[in-house]
Every structure is written in C-alpha cells, then in structure tokens.
Amino acid sequence: MESKTDVASATVTSELAAIEDEEVLNKMLDNASDFEERRMIRAALRDLLKKKRDKREQERGSRQQDLRQQGLSKGETTGGAVSIGRASMNWQPPTNKPSGQPALSASTPLNRTPGGQASPAVAPVQKCPSAAAPNAKNVKQMLLDWCRAKTEPYEGVDIQNFSSSWKDGIAFCALVHRFFPDSFEYSILNPNKPRENFQLAFSTAERLAGCPPLLDADDLVRMKEPDWKCVYTYIQEFYRSLVEKGLVKTKKRL
C-alpha cells in the first residue's frame, strides 16, 4: 500500500502538472523553501517547457506540410533564414546606441600583455568597466549563483562561469525569460543560432527592463568564448535594472 507521503506527493505532482502558466510556476519556485517541493516545481516547469516546445514543433510541421500542399513552399526562404515560428527572432537591434552607453566589444582583448602584438586593422580596445572592490570576488560568486538559480529549470542551460556558459546565447534568453515569460517563446530557441539568441535577449532586456545594450551580438559570435568581464558587467547591469524595476528585492546592490 502507498504511504500517505507518497499519495500526497502524487497529488502535488498532479496539481503542478495541471498548471500551464510558466510565470505561476516561477513564482511558486521563488516562494518555496522545502527541498522536495522545489524539486517537484522544477520538474513541472521543465515538463511544461518541453510540452510547449513539442507542440510548437508539431504546429510548425503541420504548417509546412500545408504550404507544400498548396504549392507555396517554393516561396519560402532558404539558407540561413529563420524557419516558420521564429519570425520574432529576426529582430535587429537599433544601430544607434544610447548616448554614453557604447557597446562593449567582446571580440578584442581587454588587456594587452607585454610584448603582445595587436591584430592588424583592429579598432582601439574597448575595456569593460572594472568591478574591482574589496569584496569583488564574493559579489561575482553571488551573481553567478543567482544566475544559476534563476535558470535552473531551463533545458539546455548549465551556468558554470561567465564565459563559455553563455556562448550560444541560450543562457541570456533563459535569464531574461525568467522575469519576462510572455515576451517570447523560449521552447523554440535554437542553440545553433547564437546571433539571434543574443539579439533577442538583449533587445528584450533593453525594452522591458531598461538594461543598456552593453554587448554586441556580432562581436560575441566571432569569439570562441565570450570575455567573462564583458558578460559579468552586462549581468550586473541587468540585475540592477531589475532591482530598479522592483522585480528583484535585495538589501545589497551588486
């Protein structure tokens, strides 16, 4: 016979599975303190994201089949174009950067080493603002832990640092989506399209959170791995923007 604990757990799991609003599950996860409860909520959120992704893929397949049957498939774009269902990710950020907020270039070294040679035709190095402070190391780890906690339920995201963990743009999108779940469909994002992911995350963060576009998608995709100082600085600005919007409550500004 099943124990009362097993029955209660099954009941909670069933109730969580019936929730189809990501924002509701995210708020429940933020408020939950019990380990087992958080585990079940995270599992429910992962299942919901997977369900939405599978549904979108099915709809896309049906739509493409209808177009082929109508003889319209020849009119579809090919090559690097975004497939049906990703129209929202074709957004291009404005070329005019806000005054006083130049884009940080992640494609050039931030510090020149003695004897180092600069690559030909490289523009002057844009240094990322220094976050030097007595407790800079602790702040960096706190911010990394915060990013990891907020993106934990998202499939395809495993934040271990401020460099390689962000190279396909999915982590940026997951972090932004956590606070603005209605802004775009996370489940259809493609890790093989980093430029689109960067553009989507940065434009959404600027539009909804007021976060300045300190990073440039074109610079990031040229790098094998993003420069950690640039990513760290951007995440700090995003965090501060959320605090100013009242979306993050904290006693300490990072």
Side-chain angles (χ1 to χ4, degrees), residues 55-121:
K55 181 180 179 181
R56 184 57 61 93
E57 291 295 335
Q58 184 178 2
E59 291 175 351
R60 183 185 306 160
S62 299
R63 196 173 301 136
Q64 290 175 338
Q65 184 176 0
D66 291 341
L67 289 176
R68 284 195 295 269
Q69 291 175 351
Q70 297 172 19
L72 298 179
S73 59
K74 292 182 179 180
E76 294 180 356
T77 56
T78 57
V82 182
S83 60
I84 295 175
R86 291 183 183 274
S88 62
M89 296 182 65
N90 275 327
W91 187 92
Q92 297 291 330
T95 56
N96 295 326
K97 302 294 182 182
S99 176
Q101 296 291 350
L104 300 180
S105 173
S107 62
T108 54
L110 295 176
N111 297 306
R112 296 181 181 277
T113 57
Q117 297 181 353
S119 302

Side-chain angles (χ1 to χ4, degrees), residues 33-252:
S33 57
D34 180 73
F35 174 80
E36 183 62 21
E37 183 180 1
R38 290 178 60 83
R39 184 190 67 78
M40 290 189 291
I41 295 174
R42 287 195 299 269
L45 189 52
R46 284 194 294 268
D47 291 342
L48 177 58
L49 291 172
K50 182 177 185 302
K51 186 189 302 182
K52 286 190 174 183
R53 184 179 65 254
D54 293 343
K55 181 180 179 181
R56 184 57 61 93
E57 291 295 335
Q58 184 178 2
E59 291 175 351
R60 183 185 306 160
S62 299
R63 196 173 301 136
Q64 290 175 338
Q65 184 176 0
D66 291 341
L67 289 176
R68 284 195 295 269
Q69 291 175 351
Q70 297 172 19
L72 298 179
S73 59
K74 292 182 179 180
E76 294 180 356
T77 56
T78 57
V82 182
S83 60
I84 295 175
R86 291 183 183 274
S88 62
M89 296 182 65
N90 275 327
W91 187 92
Q92 297 291 330
T95 56
N96 295 326
K97 302 294 182 182
S99 176
Q101 296 291 350
L104 300 180
S105 173
S107 62
T108 54
L110 295 176
N111 297 306
R112 296 181 181 277
T113 57
Q117 297 181 353
S119 302
V122 173
V125 177
Q126 172 67 59
K127 294 185 178 182
C128 294
S130 174
N135 63 338
K137 186 174 182 180
N138 292 336
V139 171
K140 179 184 174 184
Q141 186 60 50
M142 287 169 58
L143 193 60
L144 186 65
D145 291 341
W146 177 77
C147 292
R148 187 181 295 123
K150 293 303 179 184
T151 59
E152 184 181 11
Y154 288 84
E155 183 178 356
V157 179
D158 182 20
I159 297 178
Q160 299 297 327
N161 53 53
F162 282 112
S163 181
S164 60
S165 297
W166 306 79
K167 64 181 179 180
D168 59 9
I170 294 295
F172 284 109
C173 288
L175 188 60
V176 173
H177 187 268
R178 177 63 187 271
F179 293 95
F180 306 103
D182 296 328
S183 59
F184 58 86
E185 186 65 54
Y186 176 83
S187 62
I188 66 173
L189 300 183
N190 186 346
N192 295 319
K193 295 183 180 293
R195 179 181 281 101
E196 294 176 3
N197 297 335
F198 289 134
Q199 290 173 344
L200 177 63
F202 300 155
S203 63
T204 303
E206 181 181 13
R207 176 167 52 89
L208 299 180
C211 180
L214 300 180
L215 296 179
D216 184 87
D218 290 331
D219 286 337
L220 290 170
V221 296
R222 293 190 191 104
M223 297 286 291
K224 182 177 180 181
E225 293 181 356
D227 187 285
W228 76 265
K229 294 180 182 178
C230 292
V231 175
Y232 175 48
T233 300
Y234 180 83
I235 298 301
Q236 278 186 309
E237 287 300 321
F238 180 63
Y239 181 90
R240 289 166 181 161
S241 297
L242 294 175
V243 171
E244 291 175 358
K245 289 282 186 180
L247 298 175
V248 171
K249 296 181 180 180
T250 179
K251 295 181 179 179
K252 179 184 294 185

